[in-house]
Amino acid sequence: MSILWLKAFHVFFMIAWMAGIFYLPRLFVYHAETKEQVVRDQFKVMERRLWLFITPFALLTLVLGIAIIYVYGAPWLGASAWLHAKLALVALFYAYHMYLWHLVKVFARDENTHSPKFYRFLNEAPVLALLAIVILAILKPF
């Protein structure tokens, strides 16, 4: 497979993953705001299904990213300082993804203790990390 195909699918699956990873905390905002159990139960289903839907995209993003690194080779990896910074930020996104799973389970047990404001911040903060990843990948500043 051509490196360009690997990159194209890597970017596609990353975009699909990010769409879901930005929407899930928005669901948490609405879930935290509601007092009606019927509505809470509906959010539980939506949150769980969305997390399960986007997780394969996260895994495919990872597999294709590793494939790209493999194709370029160890010397390229060693010489690409920008990539090391990008991978550190990407690792934070995978930790964030797992934290969202934790929150899905907290909401499923009706044990949420955070405010809607907390989830708004949780929803918006990763945008800056994604911006940094895109800048690193496109500009390769160092």
Side-chain angles (χ1 to χ4, degrees):
M1 180 179 277
S2 161
I3 189 69
L4 295 178
W5 281 106
L6 286 174
K7 287 181 178 182
F9 283 111
H10 176 70
V11 169
F12 170 78
F13 288 120
M14 183 273 305
I15 291 169
W17 176 35
M18 288 299 113
I21 217 167
F22 291 140
Y23 185 54
L24 186 54
R26 179 55 48 186
L27 290 177
F28 293 158
V29 170
Y30 302 139
H31 193 157
E33 288 175 340
T34 190
K35 303 295 182 219
E36 298 177 39
Q37 191 60 45
V38 173
V39 178
R40 285 183 184 169
D41 291 341
Q42 185 62 45
F43 277 121
K44 291 175 191 179
V45 171
M46 293 170 65
E47 292 157 359
R48 183 175 181 279
R49 286 182 179 172
L50 179 58
W51 193 89
L52 292 172
F53 179 74
I54 65 172
T55 296
F57 299 142
L59 295 174
L60 288 165
T61 300
L62 178 65
V63 167
L64 291 166
I66 291 169
I68 291 167
I69 292 170
Y70 177 79
V71 169
Y72 276 115
W76 173 78
L77 175 62
S80 301
W82 65 270
L83 181 60
H84 296 233
K86 177 189 170 209
L87 292 175
L89 291 170
V90 167
L92 290 175
F93 263 106
Y94 282 97
Y96 179 76
H97 185 91
M98 295 311 298
Y99 180 63
L100 293 179
W101 177 241
H102 165 74
L103 292 173
V104 166
K105 294 188 297 185
V106 166
F107 274 109
R109 295 187 307 263
D110 290 321
E111 296 175 355
N112 175 50
T113 58
H114 297 296
S115 70
K117 186 175 182 179
F118 170 83
Y119 293 111
R120 281 188 183 89
F121 175 77
L122 192 69
N123 179 228
E124 295 164 1
V127 171
L128 298 175
L130 181 59
L131 175 62
I133 288 170
V134 170
I135 289 170
L136 287 166
I138 302 298
L139 300 180
K140 298 172 181 52
F142 46 88

